[in-house]
Amino acid sequence: MTVTFNHTIIAAKDRNESAGFFRELLELPEAPSWGPFTNIQLDDGVLLQFAEPPVEIQMQHYAFLIDDERFDRAYRRLCDRGIEHWADPRMRRPGEINNEHGGRGVYVKDPAGHLIELITRPYL
């Protein structure tokens, strides 16, 4: 059997709000949810499960490889909604995208404060 990534739990202040943010940004359909989880499923089958832990949430980083057309639409939604975004992970280049690794990238915070990266080319 090969090794594949199956799922992860993403801490959220409001699991429905965070799942909705990801669904809209990444253009993903709703997925069945259960128990303490609100779920979304990526195109490759990976499940993102949003939950509300009873602890202070520490920022995590999640990067998504998307095609150029989806990047254009996501970036347009960020700009249209006035959502703060950066070209770099240290958040020193606000309102920009980067052109690294032969593609484009942008960083944005989700409703729980996690740093989300959208890229159009893989690093390796």
Side-chain angles (χ1 to χ4, degrees), residues 6 20 22 28 31 33 37 43 56 68-69 72 88 94 96 98 100 105 124:
N6 181 262
F22 277 76
L28 298 169
S33 296
F37 305 112
D43 296 333
E56 182 180 341
D68 286 298
E69 293 78 19
D72 290 339
D88 63 309
E96 298 179 36
N98 68 60
E100 298 169 9
L124 299 177

Side-chain angles (χ1 to χ4, degrees), residues 10-19 22 36 38 50-59 109-114:
I10 299 176
K13 295 174 186 172
D14 179 320
R15 64 188 181 143
N16 294 314
E17 179 184 25
S18 288
F22 277 76
T38 300
F50 296 85
E52 299 166 5
V55 297
E56 182 180 341
I57 296 173
Q58 298 297 312
M59 183 186 79
K109 285 193 174 185
D110 81 343
H114 299 302

Side-chain angles (χ1 to χ4, degrees), residues 7-114:
H7 71 277
T8 192
I9 297 171
I10 299 176
K13 295 174 186 172
D14 179 320
R15 64 188 181 143
N16 294 314
E17 179 184 25
S18 288
F21 177 85
F22 277 76
R23 260 195 316 271
E24 184 176 339
L25 184 65
L26 300 172
E27 299 177 352
L28 298 169
E30 291 193 33
S33 296
W34 57 82
F37 305 112
T38 300
N39 301 320
I40 64 172
Q41 193 167 33
L42 304 181
D43 296 333
D44 61 358
V46 171
L47 192 64
L48 303 181
Q49 298 184 285
F50 296 85
E52 299 166 5
V55 297
E56 182 180 341
I57 296 173
Q58 298 297 312
M59 183 186 79
Q60 298 293 312
H61 173 74
Y62 299 98
F64 297 92
L65 177 64
I66 60 177
D67 64 38
D68 286 298
E69 293 78 19
R70 193 174 291 192
F71 183 93
D72 290 339
R73 293 189 302 270
Y75 188 67
R76 191 172 321 114
R77 280 191 295 280
L78 293 174
C79 292
D80 288 350
R81 292 184 175 98
I83 296 173
E84 192 171 18
H85 57 279
W86 304 267
D88 63 309
R90 293 186 178 182
M91 298 177 281
R92 294 182 180 162
R93 294 174 50 201
E96 298 179 36
I97 64 170
N98 68 60
N99 293 294
E100 298 169 9
H101 304 281
R104 296 177 292 157
V106 68
Y107 296 81
V108 61
K109 285 193 174 185
D110 81 343
H114 299 302

